């Protein structure tokens, strides 16, 4: 009879050990809506549309790192000539900003906003005294 109880109890205990709703498997970066591949759509420079030619062929790709508890991941920027700049990014949730450090240790900070559908990304930054606002569309 002891063995019968044991055989009945083991599967029940095993069922509780195999839950897949582990909240730790959720990467904190997923909440930002940033993860994935984005293509530039338009650019505003100092409050004016940069030109009337549609933007294309520039890409941002945000990927998580191995630590799901941090706000750090990998970012790759590819320009229209195919030149790639890769590195690490860190999200500052308080300022809604990102610090990007490329493979050559150059740092670049920009503010970001992802719309509610997670399909449009707006980034704002200043470079050499010029203010930029870029809109990116999620493609993957």
């Amino acid at each position: 009879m002891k063995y019968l109880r044991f055989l009945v109890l083991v599967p029940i205990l095993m069922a509780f050990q195999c839950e897949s709703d582990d909240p730790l498997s959720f990467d904190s970066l997923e909440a930002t809506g940033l993860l994935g591949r984005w293509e530039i759509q338009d650019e505003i420079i100092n409050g004016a549309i940069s030109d009337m030619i549609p933007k294309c062929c520039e890409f941002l790709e945000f990927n998580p790192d191995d630590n799901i508890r941090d706000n750090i991941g990998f970012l790759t920027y590819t320009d229209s000539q195919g030149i790639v700049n890769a590195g690490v990014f860190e999200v500052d949730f308080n300022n809604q900003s990102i610090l990007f450090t490329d493979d050559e240790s150059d740092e670049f900070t920009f503010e970001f906003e992802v719309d509610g559908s997670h399909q449009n990304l707006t980034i704002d930054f200043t470079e050499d005294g010029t203010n930029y606002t870029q809109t990116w569309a999620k493609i993957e």
Side-chain angles (χ1 to χ4, degrees):
M1 194 65 167
K2 289 181 183 179
Y3 295 112
L4 184 57
R5 272 190 253 158
F6 179 74
L7 289 175
V8 170
L9 220 92
V10 168
I12 292 171
L13 291 174
M14 294 285 288
F16 289 109
Q17 297 295 321
C18 298
E19 288 188 32
S20 62
D21 295 335
D22 182 7
L24 296 178
S25 64
F26 181 78
D27 194 303
S28 63
L29 289 175
E30 289 192 40
T32 65
L34 287 168
L35 298 179
R37 188 168 165 91
W38 302 83
E39 184 174 17
I40 194 165
Q41 299 299 299
D42 60 58
E43 181 176 62
I44 297 172
I45 299 174
N46 288 329
I49 296 175
S50 62
D51 56 38
M52 297 308 286
I53 299 171
K55 297 285 183 190
C56 81
C57 312
E58 290 182 43
F59 302 95
L60 294 173
E61 187 166 353
F62 294 89
N63 292 300
D65 64 2
D66 292 336
N67 185 347
I68 62 173
R69 292 180 181 95
D70 66 12
N71 300 330
I72 299 172
F74 301 106
L75 174 58
T76 303
Y77 166 75
T78 307
D79 72 9
S80 58
Q81 285 93 31
I83 297 172
V84 175
N85 190 10
V88 175
F89 75 94
E90 182 171 5
V91 174
D92 180 341
F93 287 102
N94 294 326
N95 296 324
Q96 202 68 11
S97 65
I98 294 173
L99 171 62
F100 171 64
T101 306
D102 69 14
D103 291 340
E104 296 175 4
S105 299
D106 293 325
E107 292 184 345
F108 181 72
T109 302
F110 56 93
E111 296 174 357
F112 75 96
E113 182 180 343
V114 178
D115 71 353
S117 67
H118 292 192
Q119 296 303 305
N120 295 293
L121 165 66
T122 303
I123 64 173
D124 293 299
F125 60 94
T126 301
E127 188 173 53
D128 298 327
T130 303
N131 297 320
Y132 295 87
T133 298
Q134 296 176 335
T135 303
W136 300 74
K138 188 167 228 169
I139 56 174
E140 292 177 20

